[in-house]
Amino acid sequence: MKKFFTSESVTEGHPDKVCDQISDGILDAILTQDPMARTAIECCAAYDQLLIMGEVTTAAKVDYEATAREIIRRIGYDFGTFAWDKCRITVAIHEQSPDIAMGVNSSVENKTGGSSAEDTLGAGDQGMMFGYACRETEELMPLPIMLSHKLAMRLSEVRKSGLLPYLRPDGKTQVTVEYEDKRPVRVDAVVISSQHDAKVTQEKLRADLKKYVADEVIPAALLDGNTKFYINPTGRFEIGGPQGDSGLTGRKIIVDTYGGRCAHGGGAFSGKDCTKVDRSATYFMRYIAKNLVAAGLADEVELQVAYAIGVANPVSVFADSFGTGRVADDKLAEIVKKEFDLRPYAIIRELGLRRPIYAATAAYGHFGRSDFPWEKTDRAEALKKYLH
């Protein structure tokens, strides 16, 4: 059976991703001084203004405005109304609500006789989080989102290296993959839109992006004469970033995860410290799913975990292998609960999440890049015992 699936990505200069990077850049600056900090930092950017808002409880002394300006400069906004040294920045940060902190600082289990360190920390919120892995790529990620991310990364690379100096920071990519019986067989369509200066012609831009971006990223074996390329399909794209469209932290949650191939609980990541299970548990579900697939227990798996605020143990665990499992899905869920400690304190310890490692996640996806601790497959060998 023939099917088509599409995923998108955006560059670091996209207005939503500017906000994500500022939120996580401030988080990293805080964690450098105070690993136990609690943060929920969000940004809103529009035209010539940036609002940094949210809750922070920390002993760290961080200059929020200076941190934000340096991130904007590094992204490449040294022109226009949102230039790093010209935009107006407002900071509206206050401490975390004590009502929330009460449940996080001491879980229900801890209050009712829990004796282990893992019982001390309650989940920072209620909600459900998902993880996913499949065999479509060496990263154990869906092919459409990985190709979209790589195209977006390449757009920034050719801009920053000076190869295509007329490009500007804002950009979007999209890839449609054709599947036969769940196997990716070809790329059907590629969309690339990039901000540019006023001097370049559309003809040159389209030829350059095809040659230096698309052709460098998309494997030739996946292309054929029917593959469609849409490069800056609307024509001119000179005004971009927050000057052209407003940006908001946490608005690219599908770009951040699996490109729509996996369910999403709705929680965003950037700006949140690791006590927020929206972030830490989603990372851990990816870690578990990747290890299950790497172990050969399934070729594709989606996991869900759910929590109640202030409670350490999850209220449910769910697994779906889409018919690819070497064991039944209910057995997969039991394996997850038996082999992995899903309490927030244990997740934080297992992945080392109290470190300043988050700024790198804020563009080009939180999954599928080997330098993140949740991408390790160090549990796969031990999980192979369930194949027998």
Side-chain angles (χ1 to χ4, degrees):
M1 182 184 298
K2 184 181 294 187
K3 293 183 178 180
F4 297 85
F5 195 87
T6 301
S7 294
E8 70 159 351
S9 184
V10 297
T11 66
E12 62 207 66
H14 185 280
D16 294 332
K17 278 291 148 198
V18 170
C19 292
D20 283 344
Q21 288 167 93
I22 293 169
S23 295
D24 272 340
I26 291 173
L27 170 59
D28 275 2
I30 290 170
L31 291 176
T32 299
Q33 299 179 37
D34 180 10
M36 303 302 290
R38 300 276 175 80
T39 70
I41 304 160
E42 298 183 56
C43 297
C44 179
Y47 194 61
D48 64 346
Q49 299 183 60
L50 173 71
L51 170 62
I52 304 171
M53 55 190 169
E55 301 81 49
V56 173
T57 302
T58 182
K61 303 298 181 184
V62 172
D63 187 329
Y64 300 132
E65 179 177 337
T67 301
R69 291 192 187 280
E70 173 56 23
I71 292 166
I72 296 166
R73 186 199 64 77
R74 189 172 65 243
I75 289 170
Y77 284 114
D78 55 5
F79 62 94
T81 64
F82 200 73
W84 69 272
D85 56 344
K86 294 184 176 64
C87 64
R88 294 182 287 166
I89 297 179
T90 302
V91 177
I93 296 287
H94 59 88
E95 286 195 350
Q96 184 184 54
S97 163
D99 294 346
I100 296 173
M102 178 174 59
V104 178
N105 293 340
S106 182
S107 71
V108 168
E109 292 90 339
N110 191 53
K111 293 169 184 172
T112 56
S115 58
S116 68
E118 289 78 6
D119 281 331
T120 59
L121 191 66
D125 202 353
Q126 71 173 48
M128 60 282 190
M129 300 84 207
F130 291 85
Y132 180 84
C134 65
R135 292 197 176 278
E136 288 183 19
T137 64
E138 65 179 16
E139 298 92 352
L140 301 186
M141 286 282 287
L143 182 61
I145 188 64
M146 287 309 299
L147 290 178
S148 295
H149 284 326
K150 290 176 180 179
L151 286 170
M153 292 176 77
R154 181 64 179 167
L155 268 181
S156 290
E157 181 182 327
V158 297
R159 169 177 65 89
K160 291 181 173 181
S161 70
L163 179 61
L164 302 181
Y166 56 79
L167 295 183
R168 295 295 179 259
D170 197 358
K172 302 182 75 172
T173 61
Q174 183 173 287
V175 176
T176 301
V177 172
E178 180 182 332
Y179 290 80
E180 289 184 1
D181 299 322
K182 292 189 174 183
R183 184 174 61 90
V185 294
R186 58 182 291 273
V187 169
D188 186 65
V190 177
V191 183
I192 303 174
S193 295
S194 181
Q195 185 186 11
H196 57 85
D197 69 20
K199 298 177 182 178
V200 66
T201 66
Q202 289 300 304
E203 291 75 19
K204 176 173 175 53
L205 181 142
R206 287 170 177 154
D208 284 351
L209 293 190
K210 173 67 165 58
K211 178 179 180 180
Y212 295 111
V213 178
D215 290 351
E216 289 292 320
V217 170
I218 309 293
L222 293 175
L223 301 173
D224 59 28
N226 294 318
T227 300
K228 300 174 284 291
F229 291 89
Y230 301 100
I231 299 176
N232 277 31
T234 61
R236 189 172 65 183
F237 183 6
E238 293 177 27
I239 301 172
Q243 182 175 348
D245 193 6
S246 60
L248 188 66
T249 298
R251 197 156 55 182
K252 285 290 178 284
I253 58 176
I254 299 303
V255 170
D256 285 343
T257 53
Y258 306 98
R261 277 285 292 279
C262 171
H264 198 296
F269 304 146
S270 291
K272 295 179 180 177
D273 74 271
C274 56
T275 66
K276 278 71 172 177
V277 284
D278 276 343
R279 186 167 213 165
S280 54
T282 303
Y283 288 172
F284 205 50
M285 288 299 103
R286 163 62 178 171
Y287 173 64
I288 298 171
K290 190 172 183 182
N291 276 273
L292 292 174
V293 171
L297 290 170
D299 290 335
E300 178 183 16
V301 67
E302 177 182 289
L303 302 176
Q304 184 205 59
V305 65
Y307 293 90
I309 188 169
V311 181
N313 286 285
V315 300
S316 70
V317 176
F318 168 85
D320 186 352
S321 67
F322 306 95
T324 71
R326 309 298 190 272
V327 299
D329 288 347
D330 59 345
K331 177 69 178 298
L332 277 177
E334 289 302 316
I335 290 169
V336 171
K337 289 188 283 186
K338 180 178 180 181
E339 295 291 333
F340 298 90
D341 192 336
L342 302 175
R343 291 173 291 182
Y345 183 99
I347 291 172
I348 292 167
R349 180 187 58 200
E350 176 81 21
L351 297 181
L353 297 181
R354 292 199 184 277
R355 298 173 289 154
I357 59 174
Y358 299 104
T361 69
Y364 312 116
H366 293 245
F367 307 124
R369 290 190 277 159
S370 61
D371 46 342
F372 301 145
W374 47 90
E375 293 296 319
K376 298 181 296 184
T377 53
D378 54 340
R379 303 284 287 275
E381 196 62 35
L383 291 171
K384 289 180 180 178
K385 65 187 177 186
Y386 292 105
L387 293 170
H388 307 297

